[in-house]
Amino acid sequence: MLPGYPPPQFQIPIQGLSYPLDMRRMANKSAKIARMLTNGEHDLSGAPPSSSAFELAAKFCYGFPPDLSPENVLAVASVAFFLEMTERHSPSNLLRISLAYFKSSVLPHWNETLRCLRGGAAVLRHAAALNLPAACLHSLSIHAVADPRLLTTPLESDGQDRRHVDWLADDPADLPLDVFLLFISAVAGGGAPPLSVSRCLLRHARKNSNPSAQRLVIEAVEELLPEDPAALEIEPLLSLLGAAVAAHVSERCRRGIERRAGLVLGGATSEALIRAGGDSVEGVVGQFCLRGGWGLAEAGRVAGAVEGYLGGAELGKEEFARMGRMLGWLLDKAGKSGDGVYRAVDSYFALHGELTEKEREEVCRAALDCRRLSAAAREHAARNERMPLRVVARVLYLGQLQIRNAIAGASMIEQEEEEEGEEEEEEEEGERGGGKKFEEEEEEKGKREGGERRKKGLGLGLGFWRKLRCKDVGFVCSGSLRRVNPGE
């Protein structure tokens, strides 16, 4: 026994242990305990918060081999480092044994590394002195980049060959929030595909549905979500948005989710929008409209989904009217008539038979533009008992106006055609008169020139043209070629 040691009954209790630590026993393996006994110290403040790791260290000092596992190795190594259980103080000490286990049995494997981080979440700050959390994150990042499917569950994977994926792979979404955020930052920074990172983030938010912590989780996840549309999927975003509304997240967080959902709204179905429901859909469609930059086809797809949503969702009059106006705007941008708004209004009235005539008028006045309806839709509306009378009168008036304009347009076209015909006849008459005058002038000129040629002995009769074997003696030259009647 070393000089200065206190009697064997001197012990320091550790909170959570079933028995106090025997300081003399531990001093054989711990340089810190030995120094404390020599100096008469009794303070172990700042120790890693793991009573089980201290108990394992105490058993090790009694000669028991350490029972290490991925779940406890961070805590054991942290306690061994804190107690200075090093090779300098005693050979084959606990720190060297725990670090060797960590390197050989934990880091090479995905599952074991995740379990190590999960089990050591309470001692990460202490383990950081040994760079153990950083080593775990680096290992997981390498695994995730090599096989991104480790970040997703089989149901969420892309259907590719999964023979090389561990079907019992631990899910990183099960990590505590603070550890999970470290994990996501590491794998995203290491080059994991953004879509896989996004799926993992959204799954973590979905799994951690504890009402008391959900707002914190959703806000943290939203900050890390990518902005690239290729890394986003509409249905998980709509689910996240619904949870965000229920958890009363910050306005900034909610707008961030709506903005990202608006980037990929073209892939939404009406069923997905109905499941999301409420203010969630209105905000996302609004973000889509504000974004712009989409083509006719994408605007048409979104308009179709919104039409189905309006026809099947439980909405108040004001919300329906706002969404109806957006639908009309989308249909216009897609180059389509407003028939989709009419169909949505008709379906809404069918679902809400309790609406009064005045309430139906208010809905139609806010959402429905009868001028943009096709003739078929106006005809249907005129016979539709669900439509308020003012709307029926409006579509009938527009129908009559269209007929009148069509008749007026036809009359105008007919008049224009008659005027064009008269002008053509005048032109033809002018051409005929001008041609006749031209022929008379040319004939008179020919006679004069012919007389002059005969006087000079230069006249050319029909015999001359026959000698040249001219096939059509009806062509004669008098300064220009013209067709004449041989009988003249």
Side-chain angles (χ1 to χ4, degrees):
M1 187 172 62
L2 296 175
Y5 266 33
Q9 66 269 19
F10 181 80
Q11 298 169 331
I12 297 180
I14 298 295
Q15 186 175 4
L17 279 179
S18 57
Y19 54 88
L21 294 178
D22 187 331
M23 300 292 285
R24 289 194 311 170
R25 286 280 188 178
M26 295 198 67
N28 293 329
K29 292 290 186 179
S30 168
K32 186 178 184 70
I33 295 293
R35 190 167 56 252
M36 288 174 61
L37 291 176
T38 300
N39 298 332
E41 298 174 359
H42 298 252
D43 186 15
L44 284 177
S45 61
S50 176
S51 58
S52 60
F54 270 98
E55 188 168 338
L56 188 148
K59 290 181 178 179
F60 176 77
C61 293
Y62 276 89
F64 292 96
D67 185 15
L68 295 173
S69 68
E71 289 78 6
N72 70 12
V73 66
L74 286 190
V76 172
S78 297
V79 167
F81 180 74
F82 174 78
L83 295 176
E84 300 175 27
M85 301 177 74
T86 64
E87 298 299 297
R88 178 179 295 182
H89 183 70
S90 176
S92 301
N93 216 337
L94 184 59
L95 182 59
R96 184 186 69 81
I97 294 173
S98 58
L99 291 180
Y101 176 86
F102 174 77
K103 292 176 183 178
S104 64
S105 300
V106 173
L107 286 184
H109 311 289
W110 171 266
N111 282 2
E112 283 71 10
T113 306
L114 278 178
R115 293 168 188 168
C116 178
L117 278 177
R118 189 183 301 114
V123 298
L124 287 185
R125 180 174 63 84
H126 298 83
L130 296 167
N131 291 322
L132 302 186
C136 287
L137 294 172
H138 179 67
S139 172
L140 292 171
S141 176
I142 292 175
H143 283 294
V145 172
D147 192 346
R149 289 169 292 182
L150 289 168
L151 297 174
T152 63
T153 64
L155 290 178
E156 293 174 324
S157 63
D158 54 12
Q160 298 177 4
D161 182 13
R162 306 188 191 96
R163 286 176 295 178
H164 302 295
V165 178
D166 183 0
W167 281 91
L168 299 177
D170 280 10
D171 189 353
D174 293 330
L175 292 170
L177 177 60
D178 53 347
V179 182
F180 176 78
L181 296 179
L182 293 174
F183 164 81
I184 281 293
S185 298
V187 297
L195 178 58
S196 299
V197 172
S198 175
R199 286 175 173 175
C200 192
L201 277 164
L202 294 170
R203 192 169 66 258
H204 178 79
R206 189 166 63 247
K207 281 191 168 187
N208 291 271
S209 56
N210 184 346
S212 62
Q214 195 171 31
R215 173 173 178 169
L216 180 63
V217 171
I218 293 173
E219 290 180 349
V221 164
E222 185 275 330
E223 287 188 0
L224 292 175
L225 276 175
E227 296 277 356
D228 182 5
L232 300 170
E233 296 171 304
I234 184 61
E235 293 206 23
L237 283 172
L238 290 174
S239 293
L240 180 66
L241 183 57
V245 172
H248 304 289
V249 299
S250 67
E251 185 70 13
R252 185 209 60 78
C253 173
R254 176 175 170 173
R255 294 304 179 199
I257 301 172
E258 289 176 347
R259 184 179 66 256
R260 291 175 177 87
L263 294 173
V264 289
L265 187 57
T269 63
S270 57
E271 291 79 11
L273 296 181
I274 291 172
R275 284 195 296 271
D279 294 338
S280 304
V281 175
E282 184 176 347
V284 172
V285 176
Q287 288 292 328
F288 177 83
C289 296
L290 288 174
R291 171 172 68 88
W294 23 255
L296 296 180
E298 187 177 4
R301 288 196 299 271
V302 172
V306 172
E307 178 186 334
Y309 166 73
L310 290 178
E314 287 292 336
L315 303 173
K317 299 192 307 296
E318 293 78 11
E319 184 180 0
F320 180 90
R322 292 193 299 269
M323 290 293 297
R325 287 195 293 272
M326 284 194 281
L327 174 57
W329 187 86
L330 286 169
L331 290 168
D332 183 57
K333 294 301 180 182
K336 298 183 178 182
S337 69
D339 291 4
V341 181
Y342 170 71
R343 288 191 294 267
V345 169
D346 188 35
S347 297
Y348 185 73
F349 288 166
L351 288 175
H352 296 272
E354 75 281 0
L355 293 176
T356 65
E357 177 83 0
K358 182 178 179 181
E359 288 173 328
R360 283 181 283 142
E361 284 181 11
E362 292 173 353
V363 170
C364 291
R365 186 182 305 114
L368 187 62
D369 185 354
C370 296
R371 295 170 299 179
R372 297 200 63 251
L373 298 181
S374 67
R378 285 199 299 270
E379 181 181 353
H380 187 278
R383 295 181 284 104
N384 191 344
E385 295 180 353
R386 287 189 287 268
M387 291 294 119
L389 291 177
R390 286 184 179 272
V391 172
V392 174
R394 176 68 172 164
V395 297
L396 288 173
Y397 167 74
L398 290 173
Q400 292 297 321
L401 186 64
Q402 185 182 36
I403 293 173
R404 188 184 69 181
N405 291 339
I407 294 174
S411 300
M412 184 176 296
I413 292 173
E414 183 178 351
Q415 182 178 354
E416 290 176 352
E417 289 177 349
E418 290 177 356
E419 291 175 355
E420 290 176 358
E422 292 174 359
E423 291 176 357
E424 290 176 358
E425 289 179 1
E426 291 176 358
E427 290 176 358
E428 291 176 359
E429 183 64 29
E431 290 176 357
R432 287 195 295 272
K436 184 175 182 181
K437 185 177 181 181
F438 174 76
E439 290 178 357
E440 291 174 353
E441 290 177 353
E442 287 295 298
E443 186 174 357
E444 182 63 30
K445 182 179 179 182
K447 288 179 180 180
R448 289 197 304 269
E449 291 178 352
E452 292 176 357
R453 289 190 187 98
R454 283 193 295 273
K455 289 180 181 179
K456 296 180 181 180
L458 296 176
L460 299 175
L462 288 177
F464 174 80
W465 297 106
R466 289 192 181 99
K467 288 180 182 179
L468 291 179
R469 296 182 180 178
C470 183
K471 294 182 179 179
D472 193 348
V473 296
F475 282 94
V476 296
C477 184
S478 176
S480 65
L481 290 177
R482 62 187 178 89
R483 185 84 165 98
V484 299
N485 192 332
E488 292 182 352

